[in-house]
Amino acid sequence: MNYKNFKSVDKCVFGRGSFSQLREIIDAKKKSEDDYFVFLLDDVFAGKPMEHNLPLQNGDKLILVNVDKEPTTDQMDALTAKVHSFGKLPAGLIGIGGGSVMDVAKALSMLVTNEGPATQYQGLNLIKNPAIYKVGVPTLAGTGAEVSMTAVLTGPVKKLGIKCEYTMFDQIILDPNLIADAPIEQRFYTGMDSYIHCVESLTGTKNNAFSMAFGEKALELCKDIFLDPFTSREEADDKLMIASYMGGLSLTYSEVGVCHALSYGLSFVFGTRHGIANCIAFDKLEEVYGEGVIHFRRMLSLNSVTLPKDLAKDWTEDEISKMADVAYALEHMWIHAYGNDWKEKVNKEKIMNWYKMM
Ligand code: NAD
Ligand code: ZN
């Protein structure tokens, strides 16, 4: 098929306080008395009001998910074994957290119904059996993981998503109250993921009217959020949730580009988190993204965020070469950024040079 036949999230609730509707929403999915749900909660909320206010009922299980590192295939295998140890499969999973927990919930919903290790399913359309019902409740906004067809996992040999129709959430709940207390820097880095998705989506060869409609609007929202000093935090949080959503949709019908390719290398070799890794890379890409980078730098300074500097001086040639290999292998991103003849414009040495600037 030449054109992607993509699946959307089935249902979406948006609004302040909408998280309180969660129980009613999942109850409607219960088919028998002994049906239960598994709540996957980012362990940053352990002991916090969020944990105490979860609408757990008889039989429901709570699993605290640690995302100090971005989700790994090993972590997914352990979680799959844990859910299998409950006996009967849950009627649904509810993932509550940032992009990492969104991906954990998406991956787990498929791995519990498909035998074997997670590594076996990293790639496109490798999942055989349908997933179980899942709900995504973001507590950070920007990645678009709540609307994407990918559950990104780091394995021993690659950082690659499980990507197929079954990955999509059946339901998402976008409640801006839940992102209100995110630390300023984390909020910024995750928010910039959305901004960078838009810039990359809009500037490459795969851009089209569909991705442009979502990308341009999301970009406008990002500018209101991060460049307009008159936007209140409340208004900004509302807009950020929608920018994440629309940025994600823009990508669905386009592609990410040079920044994400470099960022994947950083994450794979040094475990740098996606949001900050993007920012470190994007700052060095004025040659590619021009005005997008100039605006980005203004956002950094207006939001009093300082990027780590001179990282490359502690990197070995080997590490830089490894990162460049990871980045170079992401051919779809290069094709999007430079066209089918990208190899005439970018080589490994050029990629290594970008890393050396960081
Ligand atoms: P994250 O989920 O990795 O969380 C970052 C940190 O913030 C963690 O320490 C977490 O515990 C903490 N945190 C989360 N919510 C918080 C809150 N409300 N208050 C305080 N702390 C909070 O961050 P992210 O940037 O949202 O997501 C990055 C992840 O998303 C990466 O694993 C990346 O691979 C993935 N991703 C997926 C897609 C996709 O399409 N599936 C797209 C982009 C990124
Ligand atoms: Zn991203």
Side-chain angles (χ1 to χ4, degrees):
M1 258 197 272
N2 261 345
Y3 295 96
K4 289 184 222 177
N5 188 7
F6 78 90
K7 188 166 174 354
S8 302
V9 163
D10 283 354
K11 291 188 156 194
C12 170
V13 176
F14 169 73
R16 269 173 201 280
S18 58
F19 182 57
S20 65
Q21 288 175 211
L22 174 62
R23 189 73 233 180
E24 198 180 324
I25 289 171
I26 58 178
D27 272 343
K29 292 286 157 187
K30 270 192 154 181
K31 293 202 180 75
S32 71
E33 270 306 297
D34 62 345
D35 271 356
Y36 70 99
F37 293 92
V38 171
F39 289 70
L40 300 159
L41 178 68
D42 190 320
D43 72 359
V44 76
F45 297 112
K48 301 270 167 60
M50 166 67 97
E51 183 184 354
H52 302 311
N53 294 333
L54 287 180
L56 262 76
Q57 288 185 358
N58 281 349
D60 290 345
K61 313 272 188 210
L62 170 63
I63 300 178
L64 293 172
V65 181
N66 182 275
V67 295
D68 287 348
K69 286 193 190 140
E70 293 186 344
T72 63
T73 50
D74 285 349
Q75 182 183 22
M76 291 318 309
D77 293 340
L79 284 167
T80 305
K82 183 158 189 151
V83 171
H84 283 157
S85 79
F86 298 151
K88 177 182 162 166
L89 280 182
L93 298 174
I94 298 101
I96 306 165
S100 293
V101 175
M102 294 301 102
D103 283 352
V104 166
K106 287 155 80 176
L108 190 58
S109 74
M110 298 181 280
L111 293 169
V112 292
T113 56
N114 287 272
E115 251 177 75
T119 47
Q120 184 179 321
Y121 298 110
Q122 283 179 286
L124 183 63
N125 293 333
L126 301 174
I127 292 279
K128 294 178 191 74
N129 305 319
I132 62 170
Y133 175 78
K134 56 192 165 295
V135 182
V137 185
T139 64
L140 286 172
T143 64
E146 65 279 15
V147 289
S148 89
M149 251 170 76
T150 310
V152 183
L153 299 178
T154 302
V157 275
K158 54 194 169 192
K159 177 173 172 177
L160 184 64
I162 300 181
K163 186 169 185 180
C164 64
E165 285 198 4
Y166 303 129
T167 322
M168 294 307 293
F169 278 115
D170 300 284
Q171 169 85 55
I172 54 176
I173 298 180
L174 307 179
D175 182 344
N177 280 343
L178 303 186
I179 64 170
D181 298 323
I184 294 291
E185 296 222 324
Q186 183 61 59
R187 172 180 185 269
F188 182 83
Y189 292 136
T190 302
M192 281 304 106
D193 196 18
S194 175
Y195 174 72
I196 295 168
H197 287 163
C198 296
V199 173
E200 289 186 310
S201 158
L202 292 170
T203 50
T205 56
K206 300 259 192 287
N207 189 29
N208 57 69
F210 184 106
S211 49
M212 217 188 292
F214 288 103
E216 284 178 350
K217 185 66 200 181
L219 198 62
E220 182 189 314
L221 292 172
C222 287
K223 288 180 180 163
D224 290 350
I225 300 159
F226 294 108
L227 284 178
D228 184 348
F230 296 107
T231 307
S232 71
R233 172 73 192 243
E234 275 210 351
E235 191 190 334
D237 283 346
D238 286 1
K239 288 184 170 176
L240 190 50
M241 297 220 90
I242 302 306
S244 176
Y245 180 103
M246 296 182 86
L249 288 182
S250 174
L251 277 188
T252 298
Y253 238 96
S254 180
E255 193 44 83
V256 286
V258 181
C259 179
H260 273 70
L262 299 183
S263 161
Y264 266 50
L266 267 171
S267 297
F268 190 78
V269 173
F270 295 112
T272 316
R273 304 191 86 88
H274 185 69
I276 190 168
N278 277 344
C279 288
I280 293 167
F282 197 65
D283 190 44
K284 303 299 171 205
L285 291 172
E286 196 175 330
E287 156 196 354
V288 188
Y289 296 115
E291 200 185 43
V293 177
I294 314 251
H295 286 155
F296 164 75
R297 295 200 188 115
R298 203 152 75 229
M299 291 180 189
L300 275 171
S301 82
L302 275 175
N303 293 274
S304 312
V305 175
T306 325
L307 284 180
K309 288 216 156 42
D310 298 330
L311 296 166
K313 75 175 181 352
D314 298 322
W315 296 342
T316 65
E317 197 71 9
D318 242 28
E319 287 168 333
I320 294 172
S321 165
K322 181 92 228 294
M323 287 193 283
D325 287 337
V326 173
Y328 192 82
L330 295 163
E331 188 164 22
H332 52 293
M333 300 184 191
W334 298 109
I335 291 176
H336 172 59
Y338 289 104
N340 285 327
D341 58 347
W342 68 276
K343 285 185 180 162
E344 283 161 31
K345 296 165 185 150
V346 186
N347 54 23
K348 185 171 168 187
E349 194 191 342
K350 187 173 174 75
I351 298 176
M352 287 180 70
N353 277 336
W354 275 318
Y355 283 116
K356 287 175 185 173
M357 287 161 71
M358 294 178 191

